Amino acid sequence: MSVRGLAGAGTGTRTGRRRPLTAALLAGGLGLSLSGCAGFLVPAGEGEPAPTPSGSYLVHADKLPTPFPSVSVVVPDRPPAAQGPAPTPTVPGGCPSSGVVVGMGEVEAALGHRAVGLTLTNCGSKPYRVHGYPSVRALDRAGDPLPVPVNPGSSYMGTDRGPQEIELKPGKTVRSLLAWVSTPTGGDLVEGDALEIAPAPGMEARTFPLEGSDVRLLDELNMTAWRTGPA
């Protein structure tokens, strides 16, 4: 019952003679009526049980997983999709036993800077968990490593956004950008004949020759982390 309803009831016109009411009776009746109506004005949510938090959103800091290695196998815990496994990419020389293979594109040039796109493709049948940077070494003509520093990070040719944990499913690819300077702007240059690329340190590597004298001069190598999308 609202106060407006009570006010209307008190001031309405009645036929016949109306008996006078004392101030005490009127106040008492009004107070009784208001107290009876106010019992229904309950704040929203009051008296209702508090919602129980979902267990799936509880985080225990002492049970957080340890950081993943650069590249590791994730055993699938669910059956393959009904449409069958993803098609296996065609890899020159076949798919390595690790199930992942690296690739290198054409070297691009800009104002003395050089850059080449690297790829990591899952050519196997199981998903991989990728987190980190590729493993890169510069080699001489005999295939021996050269004293060329390799740094994770940004360069003139691209920005490193840092490692990203990725589940690399069969047939999928992640990318990295490798860059260096081929003009003597700061320090001695080393002439390299090839680049050795691996998905991560300790994994099977592939060797890619450096064609052309303008790209073989190296100061230091800078690489971005493995990422989905353009490197």
Side-chain angles (χ1 to χ4, degrees), residues 88-96 99-102 121-124 206:
T88 301
T90 302
V91 178
C95 185
V100 289
V101 63
V102 292
T121 301
N122 185 343
C123 57
R206 295 180 66 191

Side-chain angles (χ1 to χ4, degrees), residues 5 8 11 29 31 33 41 48 59 63 75 78 81 98-99 101 107 113 139-140 147 152 176 186 189 215 220 225:
T11 58
S33 300
L41 302 178
E48 300 177 0
V59 177
K63 297 183 179 180
V75 179
R78 57 184 182 276
S98 62
V101 63
V107 179
H113 296 267
L139 306 178
D140 62 14
S176 172
L189 299 180
V215 302
E220 63 180 13

Side-chain angles (χ1 to χ4, degrees), residues 199-220:
M203 295 194 68
E204 184 175 352
R206 295 180 66 191
T207 300
F208 300 89
L210 290 174
E211 304 290 348
S213 59
D214 61 329
V215 302
R216 294 171 60 191
L217 297 177
L218 313 169
D219 63 338
E220 63 180 13

Side-chain angles (χ1 to χ4, degrees), residues 65-101:
T66 57
F68 295 108
S70 295
V71 179
S72 58
V73 179
V74 179
V75 179
D77 56 359
R78 57 184 182 276
Q83 64 270 23
T88 301
T90 302
V91 178
C95 185
S97 58
S98 62
V100 289
V101 63

